[in-house]
Amino acid sequence: MWIQRQIELRPRPRGFHLVTDEIAEAVPELTSLSVGIATLFMQHTSASLTLNENASPDVRRDFAEWFDRAVPDGAGYFAHTLEGPDDMPAHIKASLTGSSLTIPVASGALALGTWQGIYLCEHRDSGGARRVVFTASGESANIRS
Amino acid sequence: MWIQRQIELRPRPRGFHLVTDEIAEAVPELTSLSVGIATLFMQHTSASLTLNENASPDVRRDFAEWFDRAVPDGAGYFAHTLEGPDDMPAHIKASLTGSSLTIPVASGALALGTWQGIYLCEHRDSGGARRVVFTASGESANIRS
Amino acid sequence: MWIQRQIELRPRPRGFHLVTDEIAEAVPELTSLSVGIATLFMQHTSASLTLNENASPDVRRDFAEWFDRAVPDGAGYFAHTLEGPDDMPAHIKASLTGSSLTIPVASGALALGTWQGIYLCEHRDSGGARRVVFTASGESANIRS
């Protein structure tokens, strides 16, 4: 059994944003899979996805702080500057965190750990809406009923 | 055909640890898949998984050295400090290396390159045991026999 | 339906190289999948794969610039130096970008965003040819015709 859906995440300010519930609500069919694998895939090169702590907003703030220091806006050694001082850092941050997440499915839900949440990593100042492709395959619980 | 198992990795000190054999021994059913994809998924936000050199222990020591310099314990710009000076760096290191590995299965085994091994990346001083969900799907060699 | 192929990427100089077309041409069977998931897996520990901007060569040049500054050749704190000053940095860069890509398949093709391309990240000065395992599973469009 295969599930595939385009999910559009509304525009968000630069930073790290918790989108676990928004993703889960977009794929109600997931409840029919007893076991499987789900992939979330970001179709952009200046935003990305990662899993991290789902509780303290300070963690997400500190992510932004660290990444902005590690890959500074407008660094003098960048050649690709036409699209603004936040563009080339956005590309590098996107590759450091990654374009996709692969998450096991168990008993009809994403098998996240207790403290894990899905972060939309928005690396542009004005990135706009972001498209994510959700794809899952697995065994349907109903097959055996 | 689907395989899914919870694997508990025993507590290890902070650092990068080779766990390839431990993982392989936990999923003996893998030998029945002729072709497939396996996913290893870390259910924590301060430990992670990566693939790298399986021979020299110095490589794993140098990983720890580099990551500790790149994301320093107790850096003054972190706001999330309640859980100790190693906590916020652990979250960032976990997202830099990633929560999951996706590895092809060929002829009943993980299709790793000659020098590739699975690293448990333990970013906390006292992280405790770590849960990994192993999920694989593929074609069973027996179906055709 | 499962597809698995070994792809050999010809030797390239150190840097970030766009290989999207080369990968797509190596797996013509992909056109038969209506929906699925594909995994590209690098069987080496000093080269890696990432997705990023497929247009400006300056972006790939800036990737090399940033990674070379973040993980400097011959840094004095590395112990694993036997294989040359570019070896240990190559291992770390490989884990920062990652050994594999997971990309959804839709309507017989990789469902990449408009600006996304597949980068071979060659972190050694003379890395030689690189082996990538391509694995995909999905539903065949023909099943329903």
Side-chain angles (χ1 to χ4, degrees):
Chain A
M1 181 182 170
W2 285 86
I3 299 166
Q4 188 168 70
R5 274 182 183 252
Q6 288 266 355
I7 301 173
E8 185 170 298
L9 299 173
R10 61 178 165 76
R12 281 169 166 95
R14 178 168 164 167
F16 293 75
H17 305 276
L18 199 55
V19 295
T20 320
D21 292 347
E22 201 170 330
I23 297 287
E25 284 161 20
V27 285
E29 317 90 310
L30 204 61
T31 55
S32 67
L33 293 187
S34 54
V35 57
I37 293 178
T39 295
L40 283 161
F41 183 80
M42 171 66 69
Q43 286 187 312
H44 303 269
T45 61
S46 58
S48 54
L49 296 166
T50 195
L51 292 172
N52 223 286
E53 217 239 35
N54 60 15
S56 165
D58 277 349
V59 172
R60 301 192 291 280
R61 178 229 165 257
D62 286 350
F63 262 78
E65 183 76 24
W66 186 85
F67 276 91
D68 285 350
R69 288 170 179 266
V71 196
D73 277 21
Y77 49 81
F78 287 137
H80 181 73
T81 57
L82 275 179
E83 297 175 59
D86 63 324
D87 180 63
M88 194 56 228
H91 290 306
I92 291 172
K93 292 169 182 171
S95 280
L96 289 172
T97 41
S99 303
S100 71
L101 295 175
T102 301
I103 305 174
V105 177
S107 307
L110 297 175
L112 296 170
T114 310
W115 300 103
Q116 285 182 309
I118 300 170
Y119 286 14
L120 163 63
C121 317
E122 175 55 72
H123 305 300
R124 295 303 305 268
D125 289 331
S126 302
R130 299 298 196 171
R131 282 187 315 280
V132 170
V133 181
F134 180 98
T135 309
S137 67
E139 285 184 340
S140 165
N142 297 329
I143 283 174
R144 292 167 169 176
S145 66
Chain B
M1 180 184 171
W2 285 87
I3 299 167
Q4 189 169 69
R5 274 182 184 254
Q6 287 266 358
I7 301 174
E8 184 170 298
L9 298 174
R10 61 177 165 75
R12 282 172 165 93
R14 177 168 164 165
F16 293 74
H17 305 276
L18 198 55
V19 296
T20 320
D21 292 347
E22 202 170 328
I23 298 287
E25 284 160 20
V27 284
E29 316 91 309
L30 205 60
T31 56
S32 67
L33 293 186
S34 54
V35 58
I37 293 178
T39 296
L40 283 159
F41 183 80
M42 171 67 69
Q43 285 186 313
H44 303 269
T45 61
S46 58
S48 54
L49 296 166
T50 196
L51 292 172
N52 223 286
E53 217 239 36
N54 59 16
S56 165
D58 277 350
V59 172
R60 300 191 292 279
R61 177 229 165 256
D62 287 350
F63 263 78
E65 183 76 24
W66 186 86
F67 276 91
D68 285 350
R69 287 170 179 266
V71 196
D73 277 22
Y77 48 82
F78 287 137
H80 181 74
T81 56
L82 274 179
E83 298 174 60
D86 63 325
D87 181 62
M88 194 57 227
H91 290 307
I92 291 173
K93 292 169 182 173
S95 280
L96 288 173
T97 40
S99 304
S100 72
L101 295 175
T102 301
I103 305 174
V105 178
S107 307
L110 298 174
L112 297 170
T114 309
W115 300 102
Q116 284 181 309
I118 300 170
Y119 287 13
L120 164 62
C121 317
E122 175 55 73
H123 304 301
R124 295 301 308 265
D125 289 333
S126 301
R130 298 298 197 173
R131 284 185 315 281
V132 170
V133 181
F134 180 99
T135 308
S137 67
E139 286 184 340
S140 164
N142 297 328
I143 284 173
R144 294 167 169 177
S145 65
Chain C
M1 180 182 170
W2 285 85
I3 299 167
Q4 190 169 69
R5 275 182 182 253
Q6 287 266 356
I7 300 173
E8 184 171 297
L9 299 173
R10 62 177 164 76
R12 281 170 166 94
R14 177 167 163 166
F16 294 75
H17 304 277
L18 198 55
V19 295
T20 320
D21 292 346
E22 202 170 329
I23 298 287
E25 284 161 21
V27 285
E29 316 90 311
L30 204 61
T31 55
S32 67
L33 294 186
S34 55
V35 58
I37 293 178
T39 296
L40 282 162
F41 183 80
M42 172 66 69
Q43 286 187 312
H44 303 269
T45 60
S46 57
S48 54
L49 296 166
T50 197
L51 292 172
N52 223 286
E53 217 239 36
N54 59 15
S56 166
D58 277 350
V59 172
R60 301 191 292 279
R61 177 230 165 254
D62 286 350
F63 262 78
E65 184 76 24
W66 186 85
F67 276 91
D68 285 350
R69 287 170 180 265
V71 197
D73 277 21
Y77 48 81
F78 287 137
H80 181 74
T81 56
L82 275 179
E83 297 176 59
D86 63 325
D87 181 62
M88 194 57 227
H91 289 308
I92 291 173
K93 291 169 183 171
S95 279
L96 288 173
T97 40
S99 303
S100 71
L101 295 175
T102 301
I103 305 174
V105 178
S107 308
L110 298 174
L112 297 170
T114 309
W115 299 103
Q116 284 181 309
I118 300 170
Y119 285 15
L120 163 62
C121 317
E122 176 54 73
H123 304 300
R124 295 301 308 266
D125 289 332
S126 300
R130 299 298 196 171
R131 282 186 316 279
V132 169
V133 181
F134 181 99
T135 308
S137 67
E139 286 184 339
S140 165
N142 298 327
I143 284 173
R144 293 167 169 178
S145 65

